[in-house]
Amino acid sequence: MKKEKKAPVCEVEIVDEKKVAQAQKKIADTEQVLEMAEIFKLLGEPTRLKIVLSLINSELCVCDLAAAVDSNVSTVSHQLRLLRNARLVKYRKDGKMVFYSIDDKHINDAIEKIKEHTEE
Amino acid sequence: MKKEKKAPVCEVEIVDEKKVAQAQKKIADTEQVLEMAEIFKLLGEPTRLKIVLSLINSELCVCDLAAAVDSNVSTVSHQLRLLRNARLVKYRKDGKMVFYSIDDKHINDAIEKIKEHTEE
DNA sequence: CAAACACTTGCACATTTGTTCAAATGTATG
DNA sequence: CATACATTTGAACAAATGTGCAAGTGTTTG
């Protein structure tokens, strides 16, 4: 009887099936994992992280935000758009000025979601 | 007396100096902000986030990790290097196999650091 | 209604990044 | 010591990303 030849590459062969299954369960909800990654990615860029941190205490207009994070209005505005889309920040218009602030509600939801995945 | 001409671009002009100063204080420790961003960035990529989540329950070898996150050994190994360098994961060698696991100690430190910056 | 201003947007560009292939390393085993 | 195997590493490449300029939008003000 010919001995079964093993698959040549590791990708096909699993060492501990049980542990792999357990791990896969952790990341089964692909959409949620991608959402988490998206949030981390947004905070993972210095300019954006500085913007978010700057907004923790008080709302700021784009102009002041640019000064605070030592960048320029255009760059900050571009990054604010990304943060806005992900609802990490919200804004309020007042005449020709726009005041940005943390979108607490949505951020807290995000943190909860991450905790669920992380804890235990 | 000639009236002082205002700077033409917003970058130079600050609307609310007090709020800007307060914001700048939040991000004064540049090095720490960059460290935080680095961690977020690492978790902000789907493959890497999946790897980290997979390791929460148990240590896994590179081979099983690749199977769990549905990627291949080479890609996973590359990403593990980044996670290793940031000390988000640690490893243990056993013969020709390498078992990776979460570097709890270092991750907890990181979480603390982030909390400090975030809370209040 | 023209000028000033705060902000946004489109474009272009350099840089960074994730992935894959192929080759290299290191370890066990016959 | 040759072979098999798990993992790492280097090179190459396409794709994604952050930034800055210049032009555009919308709002206030004289």
Side-chain angles (χ1 to χ4, degrees), chain A residues 10 15-16 19 59 63-64, chain B residues 10 15-16 19 59 63-64:
Chain A
C10 188
V15 177
D16 188 332
K19 274 157 71 180
E59 64 173 18
C63 178
D64 283 356
Chain B
C10 189
V15 176
D16 188 331
K19 275 157 70 181
E59 64 173 18
C63 178
D64 283 357

Side-chain angles (χ1 to χ4, degrees), chain A residues 10 13-16 19-20 22 24 26-27 33 37 40-41 43-44 49 57-60 63-64 67-68, chain B residues 10 13-16 19-20 22 24 26-27 33 37 40-41 43-44 49 57-60 63-64 67-68:
Chain A
C10 188
E13 196 199 337
I14 291 177
V15 177
D16 188 332
K19 274 157 71 180
V20 171
Q22 190 186 24
Q24 282 176 326
K26 263 276 175 197
I27 57 178
V33 171
F40 282 133
K41 178 187 252 173
L43 298 176
L49 181 58
N57 290 316
S58 60
E59 64 173 18
L60 287 171
C63 178
D64 283 356
Chain B
C10 189
E13 196 198 336
I14 291 177
V15 176
D16 188 331
K19 275 157 70 181
V20 171
Q22 190 186 22
Q24 282 176 327
K26 263 275 175 198
I27 57 179
V33 171
F40 282 133
K41 178 186 252 175
L43 298 177
L49 181 57
N57 290 316
S58 59
E59 64 173 18
L60 288 169
C63 178
D64 283 357

Side-chain angles (χ1 to χ4, degrees), chain B residues 4 32 47 57 104:
Chain B
E4 191 69 29
Q32 196 161 356
T47 305
N57 290 316
D104 292 295

Side-chain angles (χ1 to χ4, degrees), chain B:
Chain B
M1 207 189 295
K2 203 161 68 171
K3 201 168 129 201
E4 191 69 29
K5 202 161 114 197
K6 285 199 174 183
V9 273
C10 189
E11 320 162 36
V12 189
E13 196 198 336
I14 291 177
V15 176
D16 188 331
E17 300 207 29
K18 216 165 132 192
K19 275 157 70 181
V20 171
Q22 190 186 22
Q24 282 176 327
K25 217 169 141 191
K26 263 275 175 198
I27 57 179
D29 191 340
T30 307
E31 205 172 320
Q32 196 161 356
V33 171
L34 293 181
E35 267 180 56
M36 284 174 59
E38 185 61 26
I39 290 171
F40 282 133
K41 178 186 252 175
L42 285 167
L43 298 177
E45 202 279 319
T47 305
R48 281 191 304 260
L49 181 57
K50 285 186 206 162
I51 291 175
V52 171
L53 291 176
S54 294
L55 291 176
I56 286 181
N57 290 316
S58 59
E59 64 173 18
L60 288 169
C61 66
V62 178
C63 178
D64 283 357
L65 217 27
V69 306
D70 192 32
S71 181
N72 63 71
V73 174
S74 175
T75 297
V76 168
S77 183
H78 275 299
Q79 302 298 10
L80 280 170
R81 182 167 49 84
L82 300 178
L83 294 171
R84 234 163 46 210
N85 289 346
R87 296 213 286 151
L88 293 181
V89 303
K90 59 190 199 301
Y91 64 98
R92 168 177 82 81
K93 288 193 179 181
D94 182 5
K96 56 187 169 189
M97 304 191 53
V98 181
F99 289 94
Y100 281 86
S101 58
I102 301 286
D103 190 338
D104 292 295
K105 190 173 169 317
H106 199 258
I107 282 205
N108 286 335
D109 286 358
I111 291 177
E112 272 316 305
K113 203 176 281 182
I114 290 167
K115 271 191 184 162
E116 272 175 44
H117 255 273
T118 301
E119 272 169 6
E120 172 214 353

